[in-house]
Amino acid sequence: YALTWVQPSISGPDRPDDALVQYAQVIITTKTARLTVAVGDFVYVSPGEDGPVEIGQVESLFDAGPDEDNAMMFEVRWLFRKEHMKGAIARSMHQRELLLSAKNKQPDKNYIDAIEWKVNVLLHVDAETAGPNLEV
């Protein structure tokens, strides 16, 4: 298992010394596959405990710095399944529908090795514009 950064997106004299170095992409290499993950991609994220993998959108990729042993990390914006919701919202959701969480001032940070794989997500404002895509 190997992780490789691809070209820093913030570098040079304009970057403050205390700023985390952020990257546009990371390459995840395993014995059987090679995956390039970029900011904006949707990914499966393995849970910290038993349970189904979660789905999130990569908001940033960064080196956590010397205080965190230069850990390779990402910030994620979560997508919620029907089983995450309650009440009328859950009852009105299609089984394959996901809700994108609001942008957070304190995004959730995770280690890059929690990324399982990329996932295709079709973005629609409502079920009417999704049309037959919900039935696939």
Side-chain angles (χ1 to χ4, degrees):
Y1 192 87
L3 302 170
T4 308
W5 289 125
V6 178
Q7 197 66 23
S9 59
I10 299 175
S11 60
D14 296 333
R15 184 176 65 84
D17 289 337
D18 61 346
L20 297 176
V21 178
Q22 296 190 5
Y23 295 84
Q25 297 178 334
V26 63
I27 299 170
I28 302 169
T29 307
T30 67
K31 289 182 182 180
T32 58
R34 180 182 165 119
L35 176 69
T36 300
V37 175
V39 172
D41 284 348
F42 291 93
V43 294
Y44 288 120
V45 181
S46 62
E49 50 205 52
D50 289 338
V53 293
E54 299 297 338
I55 300 173
Q57 184 178 31
V58 176
E59 293 271 291
S60 68
L61 298 161
F62 62 95
D63 181 316
D67 291 345
E68 297 286 333
D69 295 325
N70 293 91
M72 298 173 83
M73 301 191 75
F74 71 105
E75 291 181 337
V76 64
R77 186 173 173 193
W78 296 110
L79 282 89
F80 298 110
R81 295 183 180 96
K82 184 175 184 170
E83 59 265 24
H84 295 129
M85 308 310 291
K86 295 180 181 177
I89 292 174
R91 288 190 297 277
S92 68
M93 287 178 71
H94 188 279
Q95 198 59 35
R96 293 176 54 99
E97 188 174 15
L98 302 168
L99 298 178
L100 185 61
S101 63
K103 287 204 178 223
N104 195 343
K105 290 182 181 178
Q106 291 287 328
D108 193 10
K109 296 175 184 174
N110 294 273
Y111 293 101
I112 286 180
D113 57 5
I115 295 173
E116 296 279 330
W117 202 252
K118 286 172 38 172
V119 61
N120 291 324
V121 173
L122 300 173
L123 298 176
H124 299 284
V125 175
D126 56 38
E128 190 174 307
T129 61
N133 292 317
L134 284 177
E135 303 304 325
V136 174

